[in-house]
Each structure stands twice: as structure tokens, then as C-alpha cells.
Amino acid sequence: MGADQNIDWQIAAASVLEWWRDAGVDTLADEVPRDWTAAPAPVVRETKRHAVAEPSAPVAAPLPTAIDAYVAWRTGPEAPEADWSGSPIFASGDPQSDIMIVTDVPDRDDTESGAVLSGAAGRLFDRMLAAIGRDRNSVYIVPMCTIRPVAGRIAPEIEQRLSQLIRHHVAIVEPKRLFVLGNAPSRALTGADVARSRGSLQLVNVEVGQSGSTIAVEAVASFHPRLLLERPAEKARAWKDLQMLIAGLGA
């Protein structure tokens, strides 16, 4: 039986060798067994002897948290509008006021006068303030954009950055209430256009300083005076917005 078994193995081995020859394998590929089905080993390439570290992206400096320093930064060479044509027009009024009024961009009249909300829209704005017992000295007025864009409106590619900056400004002065004029400021602070945000008090959460703590500020969204000049019928609704703005606050 042992002899017959040895003969069987010899026959089997010869049969395998003959199959390999028919398949074209006529030489040994290696001196030791190899798993030809295994994944190939990774190729190690020689690297440069002196690797040069890639420069890391510059870390943006934190925004100033004091009002005077922030106003200086906002109209300085690092502001988003610094390369635009024109002189910056920024905040006016009292930063310690309980009411902060946010508008979108300077109008053409503002560019000429050097003050935001001037011209015909400004005269209507002054009457709106007088109707609630206020004037420009008793509120704090801030445009989102310090220089009038060529198109006269805030472009989508810069709106997000300007939204971050106006929220930071709100966190610095911590007003009791915001009066938000126009769609871009409304989107920045309430998350929606005036048509969806007006009619009720909106809570705006902003981060204070570098601590990460937040405060909630009440906001009233309303129409920009320039729109009220174009659509006088909206003045009735704007009057309701003004009443909501002043409710609970001292004149």
C-alpha cells in the first residue's frame, strides 16, 4: 500500500508539472514559496534629504472688543471694504444707547454728506425717530457696509463676513433692542428677510468677547426709509414696528 501511495504522489506531481508546462511556466520564479495572491508591498520612494515644511495658513487676529478700537479697525486697512473706492462712513450717535439701529449700505446722499441716513431717506428717518421721542443723539446708528458698493447693495460673496462683523459689533455695545432696517441686516441678525421677520420681536444671540458666552438681544425688523419713500403705503406697518421698538423702553 505504501509503495502504491508513493506512485500516486509521483503521478500527481508529474501531472501538475505537465499542466504548468502547458500553461507556459517553465522556470522557477523564486527560491522560496510565495503567496502570489497577496497584495503587493507598498513601494517606498526616496524622499528629499531636507524636507521643507509647508507654510501654515495665517491665523486671523481676534477682533477688537473695545468699541473705540473696533471702530478704528472697522474703518482701517484690514476692513473688508478697505480696497474699495470711497471714504468709509461708519457709526454715529451714542454707543451706550439702549437702541442700536442697523442699516445696510450708505446711500449716494450719504457718500456726499459723510453721514449715514441723510438726504430724503434721512429726513424721513428723523421724522420716524421724532415720532417715538428719539433723535440721532439718543440712538446708535451703524451701517453693515462702510463704503457704498458699486451696485448699491451688499454682494452675496461679502454678506457673510459683514454679517459676522455686525454681530460682533452688537456684542460689544450690548444694546437692549435692535432696529433692523432692510433685508441684508435682517438676514444677518434674524436669519430671514424683513417680510418674514417683521411683526414680532426677534431674539438675536451673539457671542460676547473671547469667553464664548452669549447674550440675547431683542430685534425689530422693518423697512428701510428708502423703501418707504418708494412705497408710502408701507408707512402704516413701519409705524407699528416703531411702536414695538419703543415699547418697554424709556423715551
Side-chain angles (χ1 to χ4, degrees), residues 189-205:
L189 294 167
T190 72
D193 288 346
V194 171
R196 293 181 55 192
S197 294
R198 67 161 303 279
S200 62
L201 285 176
Q202 304 286 325
L203 281 182
V204 179
N205 295 313

Side-chain angles (χ1 to χ4, degrees), residues 87-100:
S87 300
I89 302 172
F90 202 43
S92 62
D94 182 7
Q96 296 183 347
S97 171
D98 53 353
I99 296 178
M100 178 176 177

Side-chain angles (χ1 to χ4, degrees), residues 160-227:
Q160 182 177 2
R161 179 55 174 161
L162 295 181
S163 297
Q164 295 170 346
L165 295 179
I166 195 62
R167 295 177 73 89
H168 181 75
H169 200 158
V170 172
I172 292 176
V173 299
E174 299 186 34
K176 290 183 179 178
R177 200 158 288 170
L178 294 164
F179 194 40
V180 184
L181 301 177
N183 284 327
S186 183
R187 287 192 296 268
L189 294 167
T190 72
D193 288 346
V194 171
R196 293 181 55 192
S197 294
R198 67 161 303 279
S200 62
L201 285 176
Q202 304 286 325
L203 281 182
V204 179
N205 295 313
V206 292
E207 293 187 4
V208 179
Q210 305 299 320
S211 63
S213 60
T214 62
I215 61 170
V217 181
E218 293 177 336
V220 175
S222 190
F223 308 107
H224 195 285
R226 78 171 74 93
L227 185 139

Side-chain angles (χ1 to χ4, degrees), residues 113-133:
S113 68
V116 72
L117 287 172
S118 58
R123 290 190 291 273
L124 175 56
F125 173 70
D126 289 337
R127 293 198 298 271
M128 292 167 64
L129 289 180
I132 58 173

Side-chain angles (χ1 to χ4, degrees), residues 1 6 15 21 33 36 46 51 58 71 75 83 88 94 108 127 133 147 164 198 200 210 218 222 225 234:
M1 180 176 177
N6 289 336
S15 176
R21 281 196 300 271
W36 295 96
E46 184 179 356
V71 169
T75 55
D83 296 332
D94 182 7
R108 295 186 188 278
R127 293 198 298 271
I147 299 176
Q164 295 170 346
R198 67 161 303 279
S200 62
Q210 305 299 320
E218 293 177 336
S222 190
E234 299 291 1

Side-chain angles (χ1 to χ4, degrees), residues 84 103-105 143-145 147 149 151-160 162-163 184-185 187:
W84 296 10
T103 183
D104 50 6
V105 301
M144 281 183 61
C145 200
I147 299 176
R153 57 182 177 81
I154 297 175
E157 57 267 22
I158 197 176
E159 184 170 334
Q160 182 177 2
L162 295 181
S163 297
R187 287 192 296 268

